[in-house]
Amino acid sequence: MKTEALKINVAQRILSISDEGLLQKIKNLLDKENVFAYDLDGNPITGDDYIQNLDAINSEIDAKKAKLYSTNDVLRHVADDNKLAL
């Protein structure tokens, strides 16, 4: 079956489902497979994971518990690691 025909077939089958539990399983599978990015170790990050991480970071910032760096601090660190002059 060609890709377009397969998409149409799957979409039609999903539209005919009335079982909320099954629809939630399909949603969870699609969310799990929706890779947004990869971390430094090459592990996949989903869109939901990314949003949860941002929410956690924002909470730390709001609670004044986050360690923040200025742009110059980051540039200096990168330059030092790569033996570059600023």
Side-chain angles (χ1 to χ4, degrees):
M1 189 177 290
K2 298 217 181 224
T3 302
E4 288 303 315
L6 181 58
K7 285 180 184 181
I8 291 169
N9 181 273
V10 170
Q12 287 173 337
R13 291 177 66 189
I14 290 172
L15 290 172
S16 70
I17 295 172
S18 58
D19 180 353
E20 190 171 334
L22 181 55
L23 288 170
Q24 188 62 45
K25 286 180 185 179
I26 293 168
K27 180 191 176 303
N28 292 342
L29 176 64
L30 292 172
D31 289 346
K32 180 181 172 188
E33 296 297 321
N34 184 23
V35 175
F36 178 76
Y38 293 89
D39 65 14
L40 293 175
D41 297 323
N43 299 315
I45 299 172
T46 65
D48 286 341
D49 293 337
Y50 183 71
I51 290 170
Q52 287 175 359
N53 288 338
L54 288 178
D55 288 342
I57 291 167
N58 284 331
S59 294
E60 287 182 17
I61 291 170
D62 292 343
K64 306 220 185 294
K65 295 181 180 178
K67 180 155 178 141
L68 304 175
Y69 300 93
S70 70
T71 302
N72 286 336
D73 291 338
V74 174
L75 289 173
R76 191 173 308 112
H77 181 72
V78 170
D80 291 347
D81 283 354
N82 293 292
K83 298 176 179 49
L84 302 171
L86 283 179

